[in-house]
Amino acid sequence: MLHIIRNLKIWFLNLKINIKMWLCMLTVMLSLVFSIGWASLNFFTDMFMQSSNQRAQNTLTVTDRLFYESYRELLLNVVKLATSDTFRLFVQDSLQNGKENYTQNYNNLQEKLSQLKNSSDLIYSVLVAGKNGELYSLYDTRLKDLQFSELFTIHSADIHQLTWLPVQNGNVTGMPDVIPVFVPLTRLETENYLVVAEWPGVPVVTIILLLNAAKVSDFLSQTLPAGSKDAIYLADEQGISVNLETTSPLFSAANNAIQIKSVSSADSGFATFQTGQEYISYVQSLNLSGLRLVHLVSKSVLFRQLRTIRFFILVVALAALAVTTVLSFVLSKLITRPLSRLTGVVGQIQSGTYHKLYVPRYTDEVGQLTGAVNTMYATIQKQMQQIKQNERAKMHYEMQLFAEQINPHFLYNTLECIDLEVLNQHSETASFMVENLGEFLRIGLNRGEDTIPVEKELAHVKAYFNIMNSRFNSAVQFQSEIAPELAGHRILKTILQPLVENSFKHGFRNKENYTMIQNPVIEIIFLKQGNMIVIEAADNGYGIDIAKAEASLTCQSSERHIGLQNVYQRLCIFYGSAHIQFQSIPFFRNSVIITIPYSIL
């Protein structure tokens, strides 16, 4: 792991500055965008959930108020019934005579029961249960011949206060699903008045309101938006739904064990919890018979809106990331552009192509550094020019010394030859030699210049050849070949004469040597190969001791080879580098091959 981290660190540090800066800025921007996006997502999610909770609470509060008013009106109507003369007489007769006057009482209650039923759309029917177990209903229902135990799951003796039962299936009685609401009435001992019984009072009669479950559900849902998948239902103290019919799609969600336990354990006031994958439950406790209002909110609808918010935040984050990526890249390029230009300047200085001075536009640190580089470059150039001038002066002086070594050496030999020809009264030969000597000296002096055209250098060595060949009775032939593009090219002067001298001195040592050769020849060739000039001086004489010749170039030979040494040293000084190669096949072809640069330093 440490090895990987170390390699990543090395890779990062080897990147260009603008890339490193861009990556650093991008990392910071990514962190900021991620942090801000995450914080925004949590903030808006919390705000949205709080808003949803507030909307649910407001909905339950409104529903609570509407339900309370409707419920209060129902109870007032019940009290109105209970305080009527007809109902008081019924209760008194029931207590005194039991079931003896059942039919009469049944008929007497019809009008009052009908009025109570018609007082609210929520009431499907009304029943009255006497203390002796008798049951009174309206004519228009099919409950006349049914007993209390056949209709309800609760025993009449267990009813001591206002009690709501869960929805009852009406298939058996031919009724719709109804919600039984038991209103037990007890009589004050001091007065002949009926009041709603409270625990542990013993009721003398019970009015049973059969509320239409479907209408109750519609009443509770009137505060919800049209087409909403949410639902509001009533639950009792045990958390069991009161008004939801078994055919309702929300029945299973409202009556699973976890939901029932959560609703029953909800404290007074407002509570929120999740008990399933589909709904969020909001519970509002009512101050009515332990009832609770439960608001089921569909998660799919709620989270669809939340997903819209999350998608918007994601789009904004991606857009911000794209913008920051481009801006960070542009800024990194803008900041590092002067450094890139400075790097380019240094590269041009290194490659020797810095001809146009780069002037920085700004005076920041990079601009000051660029100015310092320009100043340093100008100083170095001046110093290099001075060094070159000093080197050229030194080179010129050394070349003059070498030339002075060559000229006297050659003059001694030539004058001796001329002297011999004069003594032998060979005036034409002596005159020919003097003429060529004059040509040789005129070209060699060259008005003090160090270079000479190739064709002039060839004429110079031809004059020397004529002088030396006179000693061999013109037996040696001279051949030359010059590449057309090199005829006027200037090279260092007097580099061929020592080579031709060596051909006469060592290749054709004596008369016996060259008489053995049918056609003794000295050949000079100039060729151009790429950026180099190749000069070959060849003969078909005695041959070259290559080991001794190569040793003489570095002054390691015991024999003196002043001419060859001087030529090599002068070439190295003038051109900076030179190469001399020797090839020898005795009496066939012996070559001294010089390779020098085409361009002069």
Side-chain angles (χ1 to χ4, degrees):
M1 186 64 182
L2 293 176
H3 179 69
I4 296 176
I5 295 175
R6 190 181 301 111
N7 290 338
L8 287 175
K9 179 181 178 182
I10 295 173
W11 171 81
F12 177 77
L13 294 177
N14 286 329
L15 293 174
K16 292 184 178 180
I17 293 180
N18 65 315
I19 300 298
K20 287 190 284 189
M21 184 176 297
W22 177 67
L23 288 176
C24 291
M25 295 175 67
L26 186 60
T27 302
V28 173
M29 293 300 180
L30 277 173
S31 301
L32 287 176
V33 169
F34 179 78
S35 300
I36 295 174
W38 182 259
S40 300
L41 181 61
N42 290 332
F43 172 77
F44 284 110
T45 300
D46 292 342
M47 187 174 66
F48 179 78
M49 293 304 297
Q50 290 176 8
S51 177
S52 299
N53 292 346
Q54 187 62 45
R55 287 197 304 270
Q57 186 174 7
N58 293 339
T59 300
L60 288 179
T61 300
V62 173
T63 305
D64 180 13
R65 185 171 64 250
L66 294 174
F67 180 76
Y68 176 79
E69 292 175 356
S70 180
Y71 187 54
R72 180 173 174 273
E73 184 180 356
L74 284 176
L75 292 181
L76 288 176
N77 291 329
V78 170
V79 172
K80 185 178 179 181
L81 170 65
T83 57
S84 65
D85 294 337
T86 303
F87 199 80
R88 285 203 309 270
L89 292 174
F90 155 72
V91 173
Q92 185 177 359
D93 182 74
S94 177
L95 292 175
Q96 292 177 357
N97 303 315
K99 299 181 180 181
E100 292 181 5
N101 299 321
Y102 175 80
T103 303
Q104 181 181 350
N105 290 333
Y106 194 97
N107 295 328
N108 293 336
L109 289 176
Q110 290 301 309
E111 181 180 357
K112 294 299 182 181
L113 294 181
S114 179
Q115 290 177 358
L116 179 59
K117 173 190 173 183
N118 296 329
S119 65
S120 174
D121 291 336
L122 300 180
I123 300 176
Y124 171 75
S125 186
V126 180
L127 300 176
V128 176
K131 186 177 182 180
N132 301 310
E134 67 273 22
L135 193 64
Y136 303 91
S137 65
L138 290 170
Y139 288 140
D140 56 358
T141 62
R142 301 178 183 180
L143 307 177
K144 180 177 180 181
D145 299 326
L146 295 177
Q147 299 298 318
F148 187 95
S149 59
E150 295 177 308
L151 293 175
F152 309 111
T153 57
I154 189 171
H155 196 273
S156 60
D158 296 330
I159 301 174
H160 302 282
Q161 59 185 355
L162 274 171
T163 303
W164 287 65
L165 290 184
V167 63
Q168 302 290 309
N169 192 308
N171 292 335
V172 177
T173 60
M175 298 186 301
D177 292 347
V178 293
I179 304 170
V181 179
F182 298 89
V183 184
L185 301 175
T186 186
R187 189 166 57 177
L188 295 176
E189 296 180 359
T190 58
E191 299 181 15
N192 191 22
Y193 286 105
L194 295 174
V195 295
V196 177
E198 295 182 2
W199 182 267
V202 178
V204 295
V205 67
T206 302
I207 297 176
I208 305 170
L209 302 176
L210 299 180
L211 304 182
N212 190 311
K215 290 186 177 181
V216 171
S217 297
D218 292 340
F219 178 84
L220 295 175
S221 300
Q222 63 181 322
T223 56
L224 297 175
S228 175
K229 293 183 179 181
D230 300 347
I232 298 177
Y233 70 91
L234 283 171
D236 58 19
E237 287 182 318
Q238 286 74 36
I240 300 173
S241 66
V242 172
N243 64 293
L244 290 179
E245 302 171 85
T246 56
T247 57
S248 171
L250 301 176
F251 182 83
S252 59
N255 289 280
N256 65 73
I258 299 177
Q259 177 77 5
I260 291 174
K261 181 178 179 181
S262 300
V263 173
S264 64
S265 61
D267 296 332
S268 61
F270 181 77
T272 304
F273 54 87
Q274 299 185 38
T275 57
Q277 299 295 326
E278 299 181 3
Y279 298 96
I280 298 176
S281 299
Y282 301 92
V283 181
Q284 177 76 44
S285 297
L286 304 179
N287 294 322
L288 300 171
S289 306
L291 295 178
R292 290 164 170 77
L293 275 177
V294 183
H295 186 185
L296 288 179
V297 178
S298 173
K299 285 185 180 180
S300 61
V301 176
L302 184 65
F303 289 167
R304 185 184 304 123
Q305 299 173 0
L306 189 59
R307 280 196 297 270
T308 302
I309 296 176
R310 291 175 177 174
F311 179 74
F312 175 76
I313 293 175
L314 178 61
V315 170
V316 172
L318 291 177
L321 180 60
V323 172
T324 53
T325 300
V326 175
L327 285 179
S328 60
F329 181 76
V330 172
L331 287 176
S332 64
K333 292 290 289 185
L334 183 63
I335 294 173
T336 58
R337 185 179 300 167
L339 286 175
S340 300
R341 290 177 178 173
L342 180 59
T343 303
V345 168
V346 174
Q348 291 178 1
I349 293 175
Q350 185 177 6
S351 61
T353 58
Y354 188 52
H355 305 305
K356 184 179 180 180
L357 195 66
Y358 169 65
V359 180
R361 298 174 58 184
Y362 308 105
T363 59
D364 57 358
E365 290 82 353
V366 179
Q368 295 176 8
L369 181 59
T370 304
V373 170
N374 286 335
T375 302
M376 181 180 65
Y377 175 73
T379 303
I380 292 174
Q381 289 297 108
K382 290 180 180 179
Q383 292 177 350
M384 290 179 63
Q385 291 294 332
Q386 186 64 40
I387 292 172
K388 286 182 179 180
Q389 290 178 2
N390 295 339
E391 288 293 331
R392 288 187 180 277
K394 179 181 177 181
M395 179 184 69
H396 184 70
Y397 175 72
E398 291 178 349
M399 288 176 60
Q400 282 184 335
L401 291 178
F402 288 131
E404 289 174 358
Q405 290 181 356
I406 295 174
N407 288 337
H409 177 71
F410 166 67
L411 286 175
Y412 296 152
N413 294 334
T414 303
L415 291 175
E416 287 178 357
C417 291
I418 294 174
D419 181 57
L420 289 175
E421 295 295 336
V422 172
L423 290 176
N424 293 326
Q425 296 181 357
H426 298 155
S427 58
E428 291 183 1
T429 303
S431 174
F432 178 75
M433 294 178 68
V434 170
E435 180 183 356
N436 281 277
L437 179 60
E439 178 73 8
F440 175 80
L441 293 176
R442 181 169 60 254
I443 296 175
L445 292 175
N446 195 31
R447 299 178 182 178
E449 296 183 5
D450 296 328
T451 60
I452 191 174
V454 171
E455 55 188 5
K456 286 283 187 179
E457 175 68 10
L458 192 62
H460 178 261
V461 76
K462 181 66 181 296
Y464 174 79
F465 174 83
N466 290 334
I467 295 172
M468 294 299 293
N469 200 29
S470 297
R471 296 177 56 189
F472 295 87
N473 298 322
S474 301
V476 182
Q477 299 179 18
F478 183 84
Q479 297 178 0
S480 64
E481 179 182 349
I482 303 176
E485 64 271 21
L486 295 178
H489 183 72
R490 300 183 73 88
I491 61 172
L492 183 64
K493 68 179 182 180
T494 63
I495 58 175
L496 294 177
Q497 178 266 325
L499 305 182
V500 174
E501 180 181 358
N502 284 339
S503 292
F504 278 108
K505 183 177 180 180
H506 301 289
F508 310 115
R509 294 180 180 178
N510 48 48
K511 189 173 182 179
E512 288 75 11
N513 283 346
Y514 70 82
T515 55
M516 294 173 57
I517 304 170
Q518 186 175 1
N519 294 309
V521 176
I522 294 178
E523 184 178 12
I524 304 297
I525 301 174
F526 282 86
L527 298 176
K528 184 175 183 297
Q529 295 181 356
N531 294 325
M532 307 299 289
I533 297 176
V534 178
I535 305 170
E536 181 179 4
D539 63 60
N540 56 352
Y542 186 78
I544 303 172
D545 189 334
I546 294 178
K548 291 181 179 180
E550 289 177 346
S552 69
L553 298 179
T554 56
C555 302
Q556 295 178 358
S557 175
S558 59
E559 299 183 7
R560 290 176 58 85
H561 295 275
I562 296 177
L564 192 57
Q565 291 177 6
N566 284 342
V567 169
Y568 181 66
Q569 292 177 8
R570 288 174 63 219
L571 289 172
C572 290
I573 293 173
F574 188 79
Y575 288 100
S577 64
H579 180 69
I580 297 181
Q581 180 183 3
F582 302 96
Q583 295 177 355
S584 179
I585 302 177
F587 304 110
F588 179 72
R589 188 174 186 84
N590 309 294
S591 301
V592 179
I593 303 172
I594 300 174
T595 304
I596 57 176
Y598 181 80
S599 301
I600 301 174
L601 290 175

